[in-house]
């Protein structure tokens, strides 16, 4: 003679199996939704569809948050927060078009050129954040941090391993190129990142120096500077921002 299973035991077993399968939304909501299904007389397919839909949405959100965390943004910045009225010169339509993210598909670089405090990093981070939301992996770093990290890795015999950190993401945000000079050794390391990402994955780069002044960044090595510029600019869109520092706004305004 068949025996009916204890409902509580069946419930607990199902919850345990869902946890084992990491179906966390279903584990947390199947009980509540099963009661709603009984009251509203959902079909089995409707009931299953709502469980799966909730699970998919929750997984997508967890993946989004994981990408944002791995991007290592110093702060989160959005395009909507950028004050286009402040810079004396900026091509608003060009910037807004970049947020369509076609440059990622095209594997084309983006360079924001301008003085201090004009929002270059804001727009770079905004692009990176938008890329994360769209499903792309992103890493934010500074040019000097790349040089220092790779230099230490080279001394420790881990250069190839550490290089992958900058080659793996779909989008690399390289901030503050030109704020500090880079010696020959550092420039060689930076060149490895730029050359190995060339036509494979975009770099979103911010710099305070126009291209003709880039030799001053790289110890006035014109040959190496030309090689770097060649790869950075071959497939690239340059956004020039001019004006006074936004950080000085309160001091300038009466």
């Amino acid at each position: 003679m068949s025996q009916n299973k204890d409902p509580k035991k069946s419930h607990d077993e199902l919850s345990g199996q869902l946890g084992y399968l990491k179906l966390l939304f279903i584990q947390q909501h199947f009980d509540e939704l099963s009661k709603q299904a009984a009251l509203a007389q959902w079909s089995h397919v409707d009931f299953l569809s709502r469980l799966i839909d909730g699970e998919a949405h929750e997984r997508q959100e967890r993946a989004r948050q994981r990408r944002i965390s791995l991007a290592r943004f110093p702060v989160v910045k959005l395009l909507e927060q950028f004050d286009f009225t402040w810079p004396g010169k900026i091509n608003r339509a060009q910037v807004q078009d970049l947020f369509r993210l076609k440059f990622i598909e095209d594997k084309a670089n983006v360079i924001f050129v301008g003085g201090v405090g004009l929002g270059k990093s804001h727009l770079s981070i905004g692009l990176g954040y938008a890329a994360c939301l769209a499903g792309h992996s992103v890493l934010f770093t500074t040019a000097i941090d790349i040089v220092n990290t790779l230099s230490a890795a080279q001394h420790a015999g881990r250069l190839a391993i550490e290089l992958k950190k900058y080659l793996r993401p779909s989008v690399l945000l390289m901030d503050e190129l030109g704020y500090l000079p880079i010696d020959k050794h550092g420039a060689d390391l930076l060149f490895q990142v730029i050359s190995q990402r060339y036509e494979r994955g975009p770099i979103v780069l911010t710099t305070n120096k126009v291209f003709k002044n880039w030799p001053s960044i790289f110890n006035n090595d014109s040959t190496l500077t030309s090689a770097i510029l060649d790869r950075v600019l071959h497939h690239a869109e340059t956004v020039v921002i001019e004006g006074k520092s936004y950080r000085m706004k309160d001091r300038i305004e009466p």
Side-chain angles (χ1 to χ4, degrees):
M1 188 169 68
S2 63
Q3 293 183 340
N4 292 328
K5 254 189 164 183
D6 177 11
K8 185 179 184 309
K9 185 178 180 183
S10 296
H11 180 283
D12 292 346
E13 284 180 356
L14 176 58
S15 180
Q17 289 166 344
L18 290 169
Y20 173 74
L21 294 171
K22 294 183 170 55
L23 298 172
L24 303 183
F25 176 88
I26 298 177
Q27 182 188 39
Q28 293 165 8
H29 295 90
F30 79 90
D31 201 22
E32 172 196 344
L33 285 174
S34 67
K35 291 172 184 175
Q36 289 182 32
L39 287 171
Q41 297 186 326
W42 296 346
S43 70
H44 292 104
V45 171
D46 285 340
F47 175 52
L48 180 61
S49 176
R50 299 203 185 199
L51 287 172
I52 297 300
D53 187 57
E55 184 68 40
H57 277 88
E58 192 159 290
R59 285 195 179 197
Q60 288 164 0
E61 181 57 28
R62 286 200 301 269
R64 259 193 300 272
Q65 293 305 319
R66 186 163 57 249
R67 286 193 298 272
I68 291 167
S69 175
L70 291 172
R72 296 174 59 192
F73 300 122
V75 289
V76 170
K77 297 287 187 179
L78 306 177
L79 175 63
E80 294 77 13
Q81 298 168 331
F82 188 81
D83 184 0
F84 281 97
T85 66
W86 179 254
K89 175 185 175 182
I90 186 170
N91 188 331
R92 182 171 186 165
Q94 180 191 23
V95 171
Q96 290 173 328
D97 187 63
L98 285 170
F99 277 78
R100 293 171 55 228
L101 304 179
K102 192 171 185 304
F103 73 93
I104 301 176
E105 176 190 336
D106 295 341
K107 297 178 174 57
N109 299 324
V110 177
I111 305 109
F112 292 103
V113 182
V116 174
L118 288 174
K120 302 183 302 297
S121 296
H122 182 137
L123 292 173
S124 172
I125 292 170
L127 273 179
Y129 185 76
C132 283
L133 296 184
H136 301 285
S137 58
V138 177
L139 177 65
F140 175 93
T141 186
T142 65
I144 289 298
D145 186 59
I146 292 175
V147 169
N148 290 341
T149 300
L150 293 183
S151 182
Q154 190 172 47
H155 282 104
R158 293 175 48 84
L159 180 59
I161 295 171
E162 204 65 30
L163 256 175
K164 290 179 183 176
K165 181 170 80 175
Y166 303 109
L167 304 178
R168 192 179 300 116
S170 297
V171 182
L172 178 66
L173 309 183
M174 187 187 299
D175 204 37
E176 297 183 342
L177 179 66
Y179 286 80
L180 293 172
I182 298 172
D183 63 16
K184 175 72 165 62
H185 178 247
D188 287 338
L189 292 171
L190 199 63
F191 177 74
Q192 290 192 54
V193 174
I194 292 168
S195 64
Q196 290 188 53
R197 286 193 66 89
Y198 175 64
E199 295 188 329
R200 297 178 187 172
I203 298 173
V204 179
L205 190 150
T206 69
T207 180
N208 63 332
K209 286 185 166 52
V210 295
F211 301 129
K212 69 179 181 180
N213 293 334
W214 275 31
S216 66
I217 303 173
F218 303 112
N219 202 31
N220 292 308
D221 187 328
S222 58
T223 302
L224 183 57
T225 303
S226 293
I228 289 173
L229 279 169
D230 180 64
R231 284 158 179 78
V232 168
L233 297 178
H234 184 214
H235 302 292
E237 187 157 356
T238 301
V239 179
V240 177
I241 311 175
E242 296 177 358
K244 297 175 181 177
S245 170
Y246 190 84
R247 300 184 191 106
M248 299 294 290
K249 185 177 181 181
D250 293 337
R251 299 184 193 180
I252 294 169
E253 290 181 344

